Every structure is written in structure tokens, then in C-alpha cells.
Amino acid sequence: QAKAKATNTFEVFALEMRTRALQRLTLESELRQALERDELLVYYQPIVEMESDRLIGLEALVRWQHPLRGFISPGEFVPIAEETGLVVPLDRWVLRQACQQLAIWRAQYAAFASVRVSVNLSAQDLRSTRLLSDIDTILRDTKLAGSCLTLEITESMLVEDIEPTLVLLAELHDRNIRVSIDDFGTGYSSLNYLHQLHVDYLKIDRSFVNQLSPNHPNYQVVNTIIALSQQLGLMTIAEGIEMAEQKYWLGQLGCTLGQGYFFAKPLSSGEIERQFCP
Ligand code: C2E
Ligand code: MG
Ligand code: MG
Ligand code: MG
């Protein structure tokens, strides 16, 4: 009986593994098609200057509206795209889409004159030799200046093989393209070479902004990140601000830029126009 049960458990496990592998495979080929068939969408989440509530940037966040499965979040399909290499064409698509959209908004609305767009990159993008030439092509096609664009990379992407990244960051800097270190504080610390990197913003990870009050340990962590970025001459953006109280404490700590549901959720381009274009 015990043996039968064990076999059974194993079979269930094996079946589950197989189902998951199949789902992955299906998702991968469907994602490939989605990219070709334009089933992906870009949403835009406002980044604001907290003191004035002024819109200073929009983070482009990819969305997948699957015809049968409905909405699939990037948390689910970006990792699959990363495993399969599909993330490179995916991110190029998002970059082009976001630049085209910003160019249209800039031409139509005075309120967008100093708004930039932020695009997320994956580790594979940094390793792709065509990244810079693709960026140049997209900026040329959309007639946007490099200063309109911010690229978001994470701390952990800086750890492996730093030399080529230093070169890339310098090239981006030459084009006035800004760089953010996303989810700062959650990856391996790159503190020893942070001062050598041409980056512009540290984005304080949502997990630290969550539960932020002077008697919570997060308060000191955020304080330290802000002090560090000031020392390095960088700007700080707090992510995941959901409540007025978090905004208040961030202001007390000297954080000037913020992003989160408190200000706005990621919105479709239509919603952005309705809310931000008078
Ligand atoms: P991220 O770059 O750190 O983006 C911020 C995430 O936090 C977004 O999730 C956003 O919707 C969410 N968020 C913003 N404000 C709040 C808030 O107040 N509360 C809460 N609970 N969440 C908030 P999303 O859009 O699901 O994206 C998840 C991650 O997927 C992103 O994290 C990014 O790492 C990745 N991602 C999204 N779009 C792309 C893309 O085009 N390319 C690549 N490579 N990765 C992407
Ligand atoms: Mg990001
Ligand atoms: Mg982030
Ligand atoms: Mg985050």
C-alpha cells in the first residue's frame, strides 16, 4: 500500500512536470506568434515629481492580450522569453513602440515637452551586439533625441562581465540616453563599481517602499539608498507607492521622484491621453 502510494505520488509529480513543460513550450511558440501578429501591447506608467505631481516620465510595460487565455502578465511570460532568447526581439519591439508613441505625444501635446520614456531591458539585451545600432535606428526613425529615452537595467545584470557593460553605458551616455538601475537593493550589490558606471537613476525596489515608516527597518534601508545616490550624484525614483503615507516618508527622506498606484497604474495609450492631455 505504501509503495503504491509512493508510485502514485511520483506519477502525479511526473505528470505535473510534463504538463508544465508543455505549457511552457506552448507559451513560447504562442509568444513568438504574438510578436509577429501584434498581440502585445505597451502600457505606460507615469513617473512623477512628487512635490509637484508633475509628469516627468512614462515607464513602458509590456502586456499580452492572448486571444483565448486572456491577459497574461509580463511576470509570467518575460522569464520564458528570457530563457528562449525571444526577449531580445520582444524588447526591441517594445522600444520601437514606446519611441513611436512618445514621438506622437510630443508632437501633439505641450504637456509632453519634457516627458521621457523608460524601457526595460534584460541581460540578453546587454549582450546583444546589435543593441546600440538598433537604438540608433529607432531614434532616427522616430526622430527622437537620445535625451527622450531612459533604459532600465537591474543590478544583477551588472554583475557578470562588467567590462562590456561599462563600454555600453558610456556609449549610451554619449547619446544622452539615461539609465536607471531597477529594483535597486534586491540584487547583488554592485556598490564597488557603482561610481564607475554611467547611470542616472536608482529605482528603489517596491519591497522597501512597502511598509515604510520610521519604526520599520525599511526606513533605514531607503534612507541609505537615497544617501548613496546623492553621494553618487544620481536621482532616486521610488517604485510601488500606493499610499499617501509612503509618499510622505519618502519626501522626508529626500526622494524626489515616484511611481506607483497612488499616482497612476500602468495605463493604455488611450487612457494616458484622457488623463494627461488636456
Ligand atoms: P519593473 O520594471 O520593476 O516594473 C514595475 C512593476 O511594478 C510593474 O509590473 C508595475 O505594474 C508594478 N507596479 C507599479 N506600481 C505599483 C504599485 O503601486 N503596487 C504594485 N503592487 N505594483 C506596482 P508589471 O507591469 O507586471 O511588470 C513586471 C516586471 O516585468 C517589470 O518589473 C519588468 O521587470 C518586467 N517587464 C515588464 N515589461 C517589460 C519589457 O518590455 N521588457 C522586459 N525585459 N521586462 C519587462
Ligand atoms: Mg522597470
Ligand atoms: Mg522596477
Ligand atoms: Mg520592482
Side-chain angles (χ1 to χ4, degrees):
Q1 164 112 62
K3 196 182 166 207
K5 197 174 171 202
T7 313
N8 218 341
T9 311
F10 175 73
E11 279 170 3
V12 169
F13 178 69
L15 188 67
E16 213 171 274
M17 290 283 284
R18 208 162 60 113
T19 311
R20 226 181 297 159
L22 264 174
Q23 275 173 353
R24 262 186 123 63
L25 217 64
T26 321
L27 216 58
E28 185 201 332
S29 68
E30 287 182 346
L31 184 58
R32 214 174 282 279
Q33 285 180 358
L35 204 56
E36 286 161 11
R37 295 182 189 164
D38 271 345
E39 278 170 23
L40 300 177
L41 292 167
V42 181
Y43 270 44
Y44 298 91
Q45 187 177 33
I47 299 173
V48 305
E49 190 177 70
M50 293 204 279
E51 205 177 44
S52 60
D53 276 350
R54 195 168 64 92
L55 178 72
I56 62 130
L58 294 167
E59 179 175 3
L61 294 159
V62 69
R63 300 287 180 259
W64 184 4
Q65 195 60 53
H66 190 284
L68 300 173
R69 295 189 221 207
F71 176 84
I72 308 176
S73 84
E76 217 174 312
F77 67 86
V78 168
I80 294 179
E82 283 174 337
E83 278 174 35
T84 57
L86 208 55
V87 79
V88 174
L90 174 87
D91 286 342
R92 278 326 178 275
W93 181 85
V94 173
L95 181 65
R96 178 172 286 276
Q97 201 73 18
C99 288
Q100 281 171 348
Q101 183 62 77
L102 185 70
I104 293 171
W105 282 333
R106 280 190 165 238
Q108 283 183 337
Y109 306 107
F112 277 76
S114 56
V115 173
R116 357 170 132 251
V117 72
S118 302
V119 175
N120 291 285
L121 295 182
S122 289
Q124 288 181 52
D125 293 306
L126 296 194
R127 276 185 249 118
S128 115
T129 48
R130 283 180 40 197
L131 179 65
L132 273 175
S133 62
D134 285 351
I135 291 172
D136 289 338
T137 306
I138 291 172
L139 290 177
R140 183 161 29 80
D141 290 350
T142 56
K143 302 188 176 68
L144 279 184
S147 58
C148 296
L149 181 63
T150 301
L151 298 174
E152 298 198 0
I153 61 179
T154 59
E155 243 179 320
S156 43
M157 287 159 59
L158 296 170
V159 180
E160 38 183 292
D161 207 5
I162 191 70
E163 275 307 319
T165 310
L166 289 175
V167 174
L168 174 68
L169 292 176
E171 288 279 350
L172 294 172
H173 184 78
D174 285 345
R175 289 161 172 77
N176 292 318
I177 296 169
R178 294 191 182 175
V179 175
S180 289
I181 304 193
D182 206 354
D183 305 334
F184 191 77
T186 61
Y188 284 105
S189 170
S190 44
L191 295 184
N192 45 350
Y193 44 80
L194 205 51
H195 67 278
Q196 300 177 44
L197 301 174
H198 273 304
V199 300
D200 303 277
Y201 304 95
L202 296 186
K203 288 188 88 168
I204 305 172
D205 191 64
R206 195 166 80 214
S207 58
F208 303 116
V209 173
N210 200 4
Q211 296 199 297
L212 189 69
S213 60
N215 50 25
H216 194 281
N218 281 350
Y219 199 80
Q220 276 318 314
V221 175
V222 172
N223 191 16
T224 305
I225 295 176
I226 294 169
L228 174 70
S229 50
Q230 284 170 351
Q231 287 257 304
L232 295 168
L234 308 178
M235 291 168 279
T236 347
I237 306 177
E239 17 170 74
I241 303 175
E242 294 183 357
M243 293 170 296
E245 200 198 342
Q246 294 167 327
K247 181 190 171 194
Y248 172 78
W249 291 120
L250 285 161
Q252 292 294 302
L253 289 170
C255 180
T256 50
L257 306 174
Q259 183 180 355
Y261 298 168
F262 177 76
F263 304 106
K265 291 199 168 184
L267 302 167
S268 69
S269 52
E271 289 168 316
I272 290 283
E273 286 169 13
R274 281 192 287 282
Q275 290 194 27
F276 294 90
C277 305

